[in-house]
Amino acid sequence: MEPFSIQQATDAPTAIKAVGAAAGSKFIAGGTNLVDLMKMYVERPAVLVNINGLNLNKIETLTHGGVRIGALVRNSDLAYHPLIEKRYPVLSQALLSGASPQLRNMATTGGNLLQRTRCPYFFDISFPCNKRTPGSGCSAIKGYNRSNAILGGSDHCIATHPSDMCVAMAALDASIRIEGPDGERDIPFTDFHLLPGETPEKETVLKPGELITAVDLPPLSHSARSHYLKVRDRASYEFALASAAVVLNMDNGEIKSGRIALGGVGTKPWRATKAEQLLQGRPSEELYHTVAAAALEGAKAQTYNGFKIELAKRTLIRALTITAGGIA
Amino acid sequence: MNELIGKPIDRVDGRLKVTGKAPYSAEFPLKNLAYGVTVQSTIASGRIQSIETHAAESLSGVIAVITYKNSMSLHTLTGGDPGQGKFGERDLLPLQSDRIFYDGQHIAIVVAETFQIAEHGASLIKVEYEEEKPVFIIEDALSDAFQPASALGGGEAQTHRGDADKALETAEAKMEQTYITPVYHHNAMEPHATTAEWTGKKLTLYDSTQSVVGSKNAIAQILGVPPDDVRLYSYFIGGGFGSKGFTWAHSVMAPMAAKHVGRPVKIVLSRQQMFTSNGHRSRTIQKISLGAGKDGQLISVKHLTTSETSFVDEFVETAGAATKMLYDVPNLDATHSIVRLNKGTPCPTRAPGEAPGTYGLEVAMDELAYQLNIDPVQLRLVNYADKHPQTGQPWSEKHLKECYERGAQAIGWAQRNPAVRSMKEGDLLVGYGMATATYPANRSASSAKIQLFPDGHAVIYCATQDIGTGTYTILTQIAADGLGLPMASVQCKLGDSKLPKGPNSGGSQVSASAGGAVWAAALTLKSKAIQLAIADKESPLFGQSEESVQADGGKIFIAGSPEKGETYAQLLTRKGLPTLETEITTNVSTREGAPPAAGGEKKGGDQESSAVKADEGVDHKKYAFHSFGAHFVKVLVDPTLGTVHVDKIVGVMDIGRVLNLKTATNQIMGAMIFGIGMALMEGTIYDPTNGRVVTRDLTDYLVPVNADMPAFDIQFIDIPDPYISPVGARGIGEIGITGITAAIANAIYHATGKRVRDLPITPDKLLS
Ligand SMILES: Cc1cc2nc3c(=O)[nH]c(=O)nc-3n(C[C@H](O)[C@H](O)[C@H](O)COP(=O)(O)OP(=O)(O)OC[C@H]3O[C@@H](n4cnc5c(N)ncnc54)[C@H](O)[C@@H]3O)c2cc1C
Ligand code: SF4
């Protein structure tokens, strides 16, 4: 790890100012991702601004019925919050499927949004990697890419976004609240993360010095059901090979509308909007297959991850089946 | 007598460990300690063209940077016995040349005032390479494969009996398949660590090793100092699994650096470095052919293994080792070829050879059973070996049939429907599988010393080590029983190379070897005390015969009349003896290829010893010593998603006498968990373009976690083996991992009808 200095911030404006003031400075929240990357020399911030003292750790109901999650709410507190367990089970399940209890006790909502890929080449600075060192090349495309993305990749990068929480939030149509040198703004969840394109090092629309303050969840209709399903190489403490977050509005046993997001397969939390348009009518195997095929349309297999296309379809079909309750 | 041996007694060092008070090799805060961090190559083959150390050297707090340009010279060590000293890579002494043989080879060491500075300094070293095209896949180098004459420690590498090819041709039933196991890394919890301190010409080392004496010898000889000038401590070891059996470069680099800077130096390998710098289990390609009659009687077995070694040493993963002794088959080829690759040198990994080999063999047996429509257990009974099929020796003990019976009973084998894909629980497919476990019962020479003190407590001394398995505990039990002392009155000192030489922790031999020696020493010492008492007019035992006296609870007394006697403490105090002691060497070897050994030999002036006599009475060469067992497994498979959960494992083990039910169960359970890892998720990945290690931490190299755990039912036959030692215990560290991977793979086949012949069996391989 390179030497760095650390500053304590007690309110948002000072934190934002501190990060804006010094090039190469970063916020630190739970530190579960950032510190690991610093140890591996992937991140080399000269200054860390500790935001844990900020008053951003509340979960509040919003007047229109939604929920505001402070950026510093720990993943475990969020997962076990009664409001989330009851109204947004997909989010609770997604959080609890991630990492380990110890990590979830530290990891924050804001940090989870910004956690970086687990592409093994990204973590080892002796390998070329466009995301880490723009222009150096992508080791995964010609190398070992079993864990990499099949959706949203480019010739420059095929790294997955590893978060489970984000997949659920994408399906919930969340929005992200940001405070920066120029004031506050809200960003729809699906616009927050960027596709790699030619600039895989740019992962979100955040501008330098901008602080995530909260994530807002819109209200769900009372008949909404949701579920998160994650498939992985071991039963716990492992990132997804494929995962699916499903939110369904049901009426009289019929699907009125639904939202789908996939994890483990996309270069960003993958909202399958096209497939959602087909998601209507009586639950049937046929319907699910059609929807799943649409969700994986355009998927591109690499040497070692072709199985993810079929696995993601099956994961989605299973998640739809569980959410709708019965059939298939 | 024998009240403690066998009981599920808590570890004597348990409290120390869980309270953080057990000092591991990186935890000796020596005065003026400096920290060493090594720099490693980032190519798999070639030369260092230039190495720029200036930036690191100018960093405040960096004391020195050592590379091949300014390193002291070293001496090649050719020995191949880890008990005597085996360097991991014979032809690659650290920092001696610019040549690169594999990714992650140590090429420099940065020594600094703190670990952080050393690490930062290491990151500043810039290396330019002259890269050569590496060879890193066995299949790419098959034309250069060769058959080594022998395996580690002189073990047989090529076994033939009868005419396997001819017999195979005539067989009514044939089964021929190839099985592949990937590279495994041991990943002990405690990283490899060495702290070195010179005092004049004398060297003190704190080194995490499975062989205190072997490592001491190896390091001394490589440095060119007399072994007697080196003292090595390894009090506590956080697992080794074979990776700490050989001495690796960092253990030599610590004293090199300490000499260079004139201060004690500590080196701890990082988890990432542990994927390149302390051996691994080689990938194996196992071609297996079984020829049998319609009744399943094997007439020919061929088990041809190709594995990898490095360009700087030879290591053979003897996957055919179990094949030559497990079944009664007249015609057999068990051969091993190795291929040199640009990788670090492989080394033993928990049940080296047998673990991947029994995967191949026992899956092949399952395939044959299905082909012939014979119950897999029945097939094994048809081919049951009543004596060692290669040597014709009788087994010292073998209760494998009972293992099969009890295991089958416990899992409900007879109640299953053997047809594949026939059983379900809800939406999940259910599968049952079984396999045989076996591992040689090794015992080698060991010394042990015991001292009795006037306050009534005793201390055991032996230069072996407890690698986390419970050696401190079981040796304490053995000595306590032998002397008739309570556990609390016996202390056990291990992990110090100056103590009487004990065995290295390899080949599951410590319990039988050091246990045998401690038992002999305890009986000898007890007898010494009794003789002293019966010859002493002031003793209540004066004039009694030795045979009439027994010991218990710290007291020696007339059998049947506990009031007639005295305590060890009273005896020693009255006689004014500061200690009463004995040191015994039991020179027994049951190892294949080992020279014939005398039954017992002792030094220290002890002329009579019933224990040594008990060993002497046995012709160890007359018997074949093996442990056996059977695993029965139930799995649940999600047919759509390809995920497997091992639901239950029953393991019934015949390992002679159980010394401590708790530590024994631990060993088998841990090995079974290793087996789940091998079957379902473990494997090191190398980059397909340049041969560099890709999986370099425990988020990429998966091992099983709690959520993967099945219900365990671990049982022991617990019949003492009278020929291995008077204690009757064979080793237990490795047998549990043999066969288990096959049992899981066979259960997955039963559940799904899919035969996966390359490990691990990940969800993608079961999607169909
Ligand atoms: C072994 C392991 C296994 C894991 N497994 C999973 C898994 O299965 N699924 C999963 O989803 N995740 C997993 N994770 C990732 C884990 O969820 C993230 O590490 C965690 O969510 C990051 O949160 P943090 O608060 O610790 O972030 P930090 O490490 O503190 O920060 C991460 C990044 O976010 C920035 N940041 C933090 N807060 C803010 C803010 N409010 N505004 C602006 N920038 C901010 C930091 O500057 C930094 O760049 C795993 C992690 C580990 C180490
Ligand atoms: S996929 Fe992306 S993160 Fe991985 S090596 Fe390529 S550029 Fe780097």
Side-chain angles (χ1 to χ4, degrees):
Chain A
M1 185 181 310
E2 268 178 22
F4 61 91
S5 65
I6 187 154
Q7 294 177 15
Q8 310 297 336
T10 48
D11 57 55
T14 12
I16 293 163
K17 220 168 139 196
V19 163
S25 52
K26 278 203 159 271
F27 300 118
I28 181 161
T32 60
N33 190 221
L34 183 54
V35 175
D36 276 4
L37 292 167
M38 286 167 68
K39 285 186 188 163
M40 303 306 292
Y41 291 85
V42 176
E43 301 264 21
R44 304 167 178 227
V47 180
L48 287 183
V49 177
N50 181 5
I51 57 171
N52 285 289
L54 269 56
N55 188 17
L56 296 173
N57 50 10
K58 289 195 189 57
I59 298 173
E60 305 159 284
T61 332
L62 298 171
T63 43
H64 64 278
V67 172
R68 171 162 297 167
I69 304 158
L72 288 171
V73 171
R74 307 286 158 175
N75 285 178
S76 36
D77 291 335
L78 183 57
Y80 292 117
H81 196 282
L83 215 58
I84 304 297
E85 283 183 321
K86 183 153 175 278
R87 286 205 228 153
Y88 307 96
V90 65
L91 178 56
S92 184
Q93 290 157 359
L95 284 159
L96 294 178
S97 76
S100 66
Q102 295 90 332
L103 283 159
R104 295 194 294 265
N105 286 343
M106 282 306 287
T108 64
T109 309
N112 196 320
L113 285 168
L114 293 180
Q115 64 168 297
R116 310 205 63 189
T117 185
R118 309 306 290 203
C119 174
Y121 297 106
F122 174 74
F123 264 77
D124 185 339
I125 58 162
S126 64
F127 280 99
C129 168
N130 286 326
K131 190 185 268 303
R132 181 174 18 82
T133 315
S136 62
C138 171
S139 294
I141 289 176
K142 50 186 191 337
Y144 183 70
N145 46 37
R146 180 170 180 270
S147 69
N148 292 70
I150 49 174
L151 290 165
S154 71
D155 292 344
H156 302 268
C157 180
I158 51 167
T160 50
H161 191 280
S163 170
D164 292 299
M165 179 192 84
C166 290
V167 180
M169 286 179 171
L172 288 168
D173 258 342
S175 65
I176 298 169
R177 285 182 75 79
I178 289 166
E179 201 174 318
D182 308 327
E184 292 190 67
R185 57 184 184 132
D186 284 286
I187 303 170
F189 200 91
T190 41
D191 295 344
F192 182 75
H193 294 99
L194 300 171
L195 292 175
E198 293 184 7
T199 51
E201 72 281 7
K202 267 192 75 60
E203 295 177 347
T204 69
V205 297
L206 274 190
K207 291 190 229 132
E210 281 189 322
L211 175 78
I212 298 167
T213 56
V215 174
D216 287 352
L217 302 181
L220 285 185
S221 85
H222 281 294
S223 62
R225 305 179 185 180
S226 68
H227 189 77
Y228 188 74
L229 180 71
K230 178 175 178 181
V231 180
R232 39 187 156 173
D233 283 322
R234 66 180 170 198
S236 176
Y237 202 16
E238 170 59 346
F239 293 91
L241 290 171
S243 72
V246 171
V247 181
L248 294 181
N249 289 311
M250 308 269 303
D251 187 20
N252 258 330
E254 277 208 18
I255 299 170
K256 290 287 154 201
S257 66
R259 292 196 295 266
I260 296 168
L262 301 177
V265 290
T267 51
K268 61 183 257 183
W270 198 259
R271 184 73 184 267
T273 29
K274 223 167 132 192
E276 288 170 8
Q277 286 158 18
L278 304 170
L279 191 52
Q280 263 180 25
R282 286 239 146 253
S284 72
E285 265 198 62
E286 204 189 334
L287 174 66
Y288 296 158
H289 276 95
T290 315
V291 168
L296 271 297
E297 219 178 271
K300 185 174 175 222
Q302 306 289 338
T303 326
Y304 298 92
N305 70 359
F307 72 94
K308 281 192 176 185
I309 300 177
E310 181 60 26
L311 183 64
K313 283 185 196 166
R314 294 184 187 193
T315 306
L316 175 55
I317 293 169
R318 176 73 61 81
L320 286 164
T321 311
I322 296 170
T323 317
I327 185 77
Chain B
M1 277 246 281
N2 297 350
E3 289 156 353
L4 297 165
I5 295 177
K7 291 236 171 81
I9 291 174
D10 288 347
R11 284 160 191 263
V12 294
D13 51 351
R15 181 171 289 272
L16 275 185
K17 284 183 172 174
V18 298
T19 54
K21 288 185 187 137
Y24 289 80
S25 296
E27 299 178 327
F28 289 84
L30 303 182
K31 218 176 129 220
N32 214 17
L33 181 66
Y35 296 78
V37 166
T38 79
V39 179
Q40 301 188 301
S41 69
T42 58
I43 61 164
S45 178
R47 282 177 191 286
I48 299 170
Q49 206 170 57
S50 67
I51 182 159
E52 179 15 65
T53 56
H54 187 71
E57 281 156 348
S58 1
L59 191 68
S60 161
V62 167
I63 306 162
V65 178
I66 311 167
T67 70
Y68 73 94
K69 293 183 176 170
N70 60 345
S71 158
M72 66 186 275
S73 53
L74 301 170
H75 307 263
T76 298
L77 177 69
T78 49
D81 177 356
Q84 301 301 332
K86 161 83 184 102
F87 187 62
E89 304 187 300
R90 186 193 55 225
D91 300 333
L92 181 59
L93 295 170
L95 311 184
Q96 301 297 293
S97 93
D98 60 354
R99 192 86 184 85
I100 305 293
F101 294 98
Y102 58 88
D103 173 41
Q105 181 182 321
H106 299 297
I107 53 176
I109 173 164
V110 178
V111 187
E113 297 293 341
T114 68
F115 169 71
Q116 285 77 8
I117 297 172
E119 224 238 314
H120 184 205
S123 77
L124 298 176
I125 290 183
K126 295 275 169 288
V127 188
E128 301 280 343
Y129 299 99
E130 208 178 288
E131 211 173 331
E132 286 162 24
K133 198 175 154 31
V135 201
F136 54 90
I137 298 169
I138 293 176
E139 287 87 337
D140 292 348
L142 280 179
S143 53
D144 295 329
F146 61 100
Q147 291 202 339
S150 66
L152 182 66
E156 195 176 75
Q158 316 299 342
T159 307
H160 302 279
R161 60 177 179 261
D163 188 336
D165 282 320
K166 211 164 124 203
L168 190 64
E169 263 170 43
T170 64
E172 287 169 336
K174 273 183 228 174
M175 207 300 303
E176 301 200 69
Q177 286 295 349
T178 300
Y179 304 90
I180 295 177
T181 62
V183 165
Y184 299 105
H185 276 86
H186 316 76
N187 273 309
M189 189 114 75
E190 181 209 15
H192 293 246
T194 308
T195 310
E197 180 174 38
W198 292 91
T199 320
K201 285 191 172 349
K202 305 238 176 211
L203 174 63
T204 305
L205 293 160
Y206 303 88
D207 185 41
S208 186
T209 175
Q210 292 174 232
S211 181
V212 285
V213 174
S215 282
K216 183 257 300 175
N217 289 344
I219 295 167
Q221 290 173 54
I222 290 167
L223 294 171
V225 302
D228 283 348
D229 284 354
V230 180
R231 184 161 185 176
L232 185 146
Y233 300 96
S234 202
Y235 293 126
F236 294 98
I237 297 133
F241 311 114
S243 71
K244 296 169 181 170
F246 293 177
T247 299
W248 299 100
H250 68 275
S251 299
V252 177
M253 291 165 82
M256 284 166 78
K259 182 145 232 175
H260 194 100
V261 301
R263 287 168 63 169
V265 170
K266 163 161 96 177
I267 298 181
V268 180
L269 293 189
S270 68
R271 183 59 63 184
Q272 284 73 23
Q273 293 178 324
M274 286 171 69
F275 281 88
T276 54
S277 306
N278 36 249
H280 61 271
R281 194 201 291 281
S282 165
R283 182 165 172 256
T284 67
I285 303 174
Q286 306 173 39
K287 230 183 130 227
I288 298 184
S289 314
L290 305 179
K294 285 205 180 71
D295 57 355
Q297 184 76 59
L298 290 167
I299 59 164
S300 173
V301 172
K302 290 174 66 176
H303 192 162
L304 317 182
T305 301
T306 309
S307 63
E308 62 195 43
T309 189
S310 68
F311 281 95
V312 293
D313 211 332
E314 293 82 42
F315 182 82
V316 192
E317 184 72 26
T318 47
T323 308
K324 67 186 186 211
M325 49 62 62
L326 193 51
Y327 298 114
D328 182 18
V329 56
N331 303 291
L332 169 122
D333 286 338
T335 66
H336 299 92
S337 301
I338 50 176
V339 169
R340 291 198 192 280
L341 299 181
N342 287 108
K343 290 185 181 178
T345 312
C347 73
T349 307
R350 204 170 195 176
E354 279 85 356
T358 51
Y359 158 69
L361 177 66
E362 290 293 282
V363 171
M365 286 293 279
D366 200 64
E367 300 212 43
L368 182 66
Y370 271 92
Q371 188 181 317
L372 291 172
N373 203 15
I374 296 177
D375 185 285
V377 177
Q378 183 58 27
L379 181 65
R380 282 148 177 104
L381 292 175
V382 167
N383 293 290
Y384 199 82
D386 286 314
K387 54 184 185 345
H388 192 298
Q390 185 72 21
T391 65
Q393 291 162 305
W395 306 106
S396 59
E397 286 282 329
K398 178 175 178 178
H399 304 281
L400 177 56
K401 278 183 185 153
E402 197 180 336
C403 297
Y404 291 137
E405 261 163 45
R406 278 168 58 173
Q409 178 71 30
I411 200 99
W413 188 250
Q415 288 79 52
R416 86 197 194 291
N417 178 349
V420 299
R421 232 183 157 90
S422 63
M423 298 183 71
K424 279 195 142 194
E425 260 175 36
D427 291 332
L428 300 177
L429 298 172
V430 176
Y432 288 87
M434 60 81 56
T436 314
T438 188
Y439 196 73
N442 295 314
R443 181 178 174 195
S444 61
S446 177
S447 304
K449 174 174 158 177
I450 306 182
Q451 279 185 316
L452 206 50
F453 292 90
D455 67 354
H457 90 281
V459 182
I460 311 162
Y461 306 88
C462 180
T464 186
Q465 52 286 313
D466 186 335
I467 59 171
T469 51
T471 307
Y472 278 115
T473 308
I474 58 117
L475 293 183
T476 305
Q477 287 173 268
I478 291 172
D481 268 357
L483 282 164
L485 284 174
M487 280 291 278
S489 299
V490 181
Q491 232 190 318
C492 183
K493 299 210 169 181
L494 311 174
D496 172 353
S497 65
K498 275 274 190 297
L499 301 178
K501 186 182 180 314
N504 61 306
S505 302
S508 299
Q509 63 174 343
V510 170
S511 296
S513 313
V518 166
W519 178 251
L523 292 198
T524 307
L525 189 54
K526 178 177 76 179
S527 145
K528 230 173 159 176
I530 294 172
Q531 284 170 20
L532 207 60
I534 59 182
D536 179 4
K537 283 198 190 102
E538 286 170 52
S539 170
L541 294 170
F542 177 65
Q544 301 289 340
S545 71
E546 190 182 336
E547 297 71 49
S548 67
V549 182
Q550 73 177 61
D552 196 13
K555 198 170 173 188
I556 43 179
F557 53 89
I558 302 293
S561 329
E563 68 293 343
K564 271 186 127 178
E566 62 177 334
T567 62
Y568 287 124
Q570 285 164 336
L571 174 69
L572 265 70
T573 310
R574 189 179 62 250
K575 301 294 283 180
L577 291 171
T579 65
L580 190 64
E581 63 183 60
T582 189
E583 183 178 328
I584 295 281
T585 299
T586 50
N587 189 15
V588 177
S589 181
T590 64
R591 295 192 83 128
E592 184 192 289
E601 171 193 295
K602 51 209 166 353
K603 55 186 188 190
D606 295 303
Q607 288 311 308
E608 296 298 329
S609 157
S610 54
V612 176
K613 274 197 186 135
D615 266 353
E616 269 171 1
V618 176
D619 176 5
H620 288 88
K621 292 293 142 192
K622 197 170 141 197
Y623 299 97
F625 291 89
H626 268 263
S627 284
F628 294 93
H631 293 289
F632 287 80
V633 169
K634 178 187 171 197
V635 298
L636 299 172
V637 183
D638 187 315
T640 313
L641 304 176
T643 46
V644 176
H645 179 67
V646 179
D647 190 55
K648 182 166 189 175
I649 302 180
V650 179
V652 186
M653 298 293 139
D654 168 23
I655 45 100
R657 182 169 178 204
V658 174
L659 292 174
N660 178 325
L661 188 59
K662 202 166 175 176
T663 54
T665 305
N666 272 181
Q667 284 300 303
I668 298 301
M669 193 185 294
M672 287 171 165
I673 297 169
F674 259 64
I676 296 173
M678 283 179 73
L680 301 182
M681 62 193 80
E682 267 189 73
T684 303
I685 304 289
Y686 294 81
D687 183 273
T689 66
N690 60 24
R692 301 193 51 213
V693 186
V694 176
T695 47
R696 291 190 69 171
D697 59 35
L698 294 174
T699 44
D700 290 328
Y701 184 94
L702 300 193
V703 296
V705 295
N706 277 335
D708 296 301
M709 292 303 102
F712 292 99
D713 178 355
I714 294 164
Q715 305 182 22
F716 297 99
I717 300 292
D718 202 8
I719 297 177
D721 184 333
Y723 304 119
I724 187 96
S725 87
V727 182
R730 299 192 295 257
I732 197 176
E734 294 170 275
I735 184 167
I737 194 178
T738 69
I740 179 66
T741 307
I744 296 169
N746 294 341
I748 293 171
Y749 173 72
H750 176 229
T752 64
K754 277 207 134 203
R755 208 45 104 168
V756 179
R757 300 188 184 90
D758 59 326
L759 295 178
I761 307 174
T762 44
D764 45 312
K765 295 180 187 169
L766 294 175
L767 292 179
S768 60

